[in-house]
Amino acid sequence: MCSDCDSGRRTFLATLAGAGALGALAGASTSSAEAAGLDAYADPANPALPPTNMQLNLARTALVVIDPQVDFMSPASPAWPVVGESVTELNTVPNLVRLFKAAKSAGIPVVISPHYYYPHDHHWKVEGPLEILQHRLGMFDRKGPLTLDGFAGSGAEWMPEFKEYIEDGKTIVCSPHKLYGPQANDLVLQLGKQGVNHIILTGMAANLCVESHLRHLLEQGFEVAVVRDAIAAAKFPEGDGYLAALINFRFIANGLWTTDETLKKLSAA
């Protein structure tokens, strides 16, 4: 575990408060579009890009959930000051519960791509800004790759709302991804072994792990729809991660659906 994480967490949160950053975060999603009375997250009224028509084949479809963990989706997380607004306004957790239920009812594979850090990961010599921050906060920390000691009740554990679906003996829990994409874990292998090529993609965080998973899966030949209200992202003074991701999803995803739309497609397939 990270011995410096408690002090790093306190330093980070103090920096947010001392700099008045929480006020900046609350307004981070404000844009010229909102100033004009428009929803910054709404799709363009007259899109230039052609529409997609992804159709689900349940025999070849899986629900992929990225990082459904306390340290990304719970008010108990040290990251809540930056992710909480997005998770709350999008109803991310309740929408994921609905998708878990629907996927189980439809009989499609549910696959988890989790994020864990082990003690040796805290000694990386090369890190990006978000990696540094996550290590300082002790996010996703586990005591080691070969033990579940300390997992229950930790920030690395599943959100309580999801446990019954993830721990039902049927859900596939992949090895952890370490940065943002699934290149370092066995997600693609597990999907291939299930004969899957249609992906319903959900989880955290929109502009980081979700977008990185989307890009890698597309490059591997999968057809991928992102559920736009079953994801969320941090809002920093540097920008609104959800808005940044949404723009790219419109460019490259095979589908960009709401939870309601996804449930209808699952029941009709």
Side-chain angles (χ1 to χ4, degrees), residues 64-77:
V64 173
V65 186
I66 305 165
D67 301 347
Q69 295 162 266
V70 168
D71 267 347
F72 248 157
M73 298 187 188
S74 169
S77 166

Side-chain angles (χ1 to χ4, degrees), residues 9 12-13 71-72 74-84 133 137 139 234:
R9 183 183 296 114
F12 172 67
L13 297 177
D71 267 347
F72 248 157
S74 169
S77 166
W80 191 251
V82 294
V83 301
L133 177 58
L137 296 178
M139 292 179 65

Side-chain angles (χ1 to χ4, degrees), residues 100-135:
F100 273 119
K101 288 181 179 178
K104 296 295 183 178
S105 295
I108 65 173
V110 176
V111 186
I112 309 299
S113 180
H115 204 144
Y116 302 138
Y117 286 131
Y118 305 129
H120 53 256
D121 297 323
H122 285 273
H123 299 286
W124 290 349
K125 298 185 185 303
V126 178
E127 298 179 281
L130 263 296
E131 297 161 57
I132 295 171
L133 177 58
Q134 287 174 348
H135 287 321

Side-chain angles (χ1 to χ4, degrees), residues 11 36 52 80 120 149 187 205 209:
T11 299
T52 60
W80 191 251
H120 53 256
D149 184 31
L187 175 64
C209 300

Side-chain angles (χ1 to χ4, degrees), residues 82-107:
V82 294
V83 301
E85 182 179 336
S86 185
V87 170
T88 301
E89 68 188 3
L90 293 168
N91 293 314
T92 304
V93 173
N95 285 334
L96 277 169
V97 170
R98 296 169 66 203
L99 289 166
F100 273 119
K101 288 181 179 178
K104 296 295 183 178
S105 295

